[in-house]
Amino acid sequence: MKKTVTTLADGRELIYYDLADDTVRDAVDQRPLDAVSTSSEVRRDPLLGDAVAIASHRQARTYHPPADACPLCPTRDGRHSEIPDDHYDVAVFENRFPSLAGDSGRCEVVCFTSDHGASFADLTEEQAALVLAAWTDRTAALAALGQVTQVFCFENRGAEIGVTLGHPHGQIYGYPFVTPRTELMLRNAARHHRETGSNLFDDVVAREEKDATRVVLATDHWIAFVPYAAHWPYEVHLYPRRRVPDLRELDEGARTEFPQVYLELLRRFDRIFGPGEPPTPYISAWHQAPFEVDGRDDFALHLELFTIRRTSGKLKFLAGSESGMNVFINDVPPEAAAERLREVATQ
């Protein structure tokens, strides 16, 4: 992998990640951009104790542009974009409309490929490995920023999820606090250790592997399963067999095997609802341990992949119980979801 760091016309950082070591990246952003002005602010909810990012400048962000005006495509034929070069393998840049900025954290965009019509599932294993390397490198870089406490790499895919740009891409958030879901996991892991003397994440993975009814696939270095209390109609958790707190700690065996495993999961997701169905909308989310917190070494890096589509043509909405009380109601039994994901294995 070759990494090239440069800047865009308004001073935002842009990083190219290339498969070929001899790739030269010297294209200059020719756009007449003003300096980015953000109004991001993190406010604490006194009743719930969680944080809300107030970012009114995001109302002006690009919304469903036509393919020939996509800001994530390379700069070509006189049309300038966020990527000054005319091609790229993987590119990462600071979001022009960030939810978090300055002392309130950092937001980045990760472009998986310059092919506008592709999806992550269309990548080769070599390309997917490069994305993993970029996620890992950005986790390390953001960990060095004083205002960042936790790094979250994720992909929103599909208009049903709320995606406003169709180009295959994900995002990275550097939060200035520990997120509520992670706090819950750390709290439950600490309680589990006090009560049993063992690691909660290890025990969850061991239980799923022993039961086997919800295991979707298992390899030498990874295991993927539908969790016992899945929140979403089709939800898969992917764990490395060797517990590590974040992406930086993955060993070479896990890194080598990840592209094959992850691409297989994504391709199965697109087969869930049968031939002729549109691509399955999903959220793919890496859960990494926060930095410098109690229990960090007991946390287990894992990826959660889920869709809000519950059956053909129907979505799972977060209505009264879910949105009002955070009590999920799942219409698809986790065992049935796992069976379906095993049935649609790609050949």
Side-chain angles (χ1 to χ4, degrees):
M1 178 190 79
K2 181 179 180 182
K3 175 182 176 182
T4 305
V5 181
T6 183
T7 56
L8 296 171
D10 54 12
R12 287 176 295 132
E13 190 174 36
L14 166 67
I15 307 107
Y16 293 101
Y17 295 90
D18 287 294
L19 292 169
D21 290 337
D22 60 352
T23 303
V24 176
R25 298 294 184 188
D26 54 9
V28 177
D29 185 3
Q30 302 290 343
R31 296 172 297 171
L33 297 180
D34 294 329
V36 173
S37 177
T38 63
S39 56
S40 178
E41 177 188 359
V42 175
R43 298 184 181 182
R44 287 281 177 179
D45 185 320
L47 298 182
L48 299 179
D50 59 6
V52 177
I54 309 297
S56 59
H57 62 276
R58 284 174 54 79
Q59 289 280 39
R61 67 188 185 274
T62 309
Y63 186 80
H64 291 301
D68 60 1
C70 175
L72 306 186
C73 287
T75 293
R76 290 174 181 163
D77 303 323
R79 189 190 67 80
H80 299 286
S81 74
E82 292 279 61
I83 317 296
D85 217 324
D86 61 1
H87 72 286
Y88 62 85
D89 291 335
V90 173
V92 178
F93 60 87
E94 289 183 74
N95 198 323
R96 193 176 180 187
F97 303 98
S99 302
L100 306 165
D103 293 339
S104 296
R106 179 166 164 131
C107 293
E108 300 180 342
V109 176
V110 184
C111 298
F112 303 139
T113 171
S114 58
D115 184 353
H116 182 86
S119 69
F120 201 118
D122 295 323
L123 301 183
T124 65
E125 291 184 16
E126 187 179 33
Q127 289 174 304
L130 184 62
V131 176
L132 176 62
W135 283 331
T136 304
D137 183 72
R138 296 316 301 156
T139 296
L142 295 182
L145 299 180
Q147 71 269 36
V148 172
T149 300
Q150 182 177 354
V151 174
F152 177 46
C153 306
F154 65 100
E155 180 192 2
N156 298 326
R157 193 260 200 132
E160 300 93 330
I161 297 294
V163 173
T164 57
L165 296 175
H167 195 100
H169 73 287
Q171 299 180 66
I172 302 175
Y173 278 18
Y175 293 106
F177 49 80
V178 180
T179 62
R181 288 199 67 193
T182 305
E183 280 189 339
L184 279 174
M185 284 189 269
L186 289 169
R187 191 182 312 152
N188 286 325
R191 182 176 60 190
H192 183 83
H193 187 266
R194 288 194 304 269
E195 294 175 353
T196 69
S198 61
N199 182 276
L200 174 60
F201 297 97
D202 292 348
D203 288 353
V204 166
V205 172
R207 183 182 72 173
E208 293 294 351
E209 187 163 30
K210 181 180 179 180
D211 182 278
T213 58
R214 290 177 296 276
V215 173
V216 175
L217 63 83
T219 65
D220 291 342
H221 297 279
W222 296 89
I223 181 169
F225 56 85
V226 178
Y228 173 75
H231 289 59
W232 299 96
Y234 292 91
E235 174 182 345
V236 173
H237 292 192
L238 175 64
Y239 280 77
R241 289 190 178 275
R242 185 178 72 87
R243 173 167 47 87
V244 295
D246 62 36
L247 288 166
R248 297 174 297 176
E249 303 299 323
L250 286 175
D251 59 30
E252 283 307 308
R255 291 188 184 281
T256 300
E257 207 174 66
F258 172 78
Q260 177 184 356
V261 172
Y262 186 51
L263 291 171
E264 173 66 16
L265 287 176
L266 293 181
R267 290 162 185 168
R268 291 191 194 189
F269 257 58
D270 274 342
R271 292 168 172 241
I272 291 173
F273 304 104
E277 288 291 321
T280 300
Y282 65 73
I283 292 175
S284 177
W286 279 109
H287 289 265
Q288 304 195 77
F291 312 120
E292 300 180 5
V293 296
D294 291 339
R296 170 179 164 79
D297 290 338
D298 295 324
F299 192 88
L301 167 76
H302 61 283
L303 181 142
E304 296 184 8
L305 174 67
F306 61 89
T307 179
I308 62 171
R309 186 178 292 164
R310 56 187 175 87
T311 189
S312 179
K314 297 179 181 178
L315 301 180
K316 165 65 180 177
F317 292 102
L318 300 189
S321 185
E322 292 87 354
S323 294
M325 284 292 149
N326 201 29
V327 177
F328 276 67
I329 301 168
N330 190 353
D331 300 324
V332 181
E335 294 74 18
E339 182 177 6
R340 179 58 180 162
L341 286 163
R342 290 192 296 265
E343 288 175 349
V344 294
T346 57
Q347 302 300 319

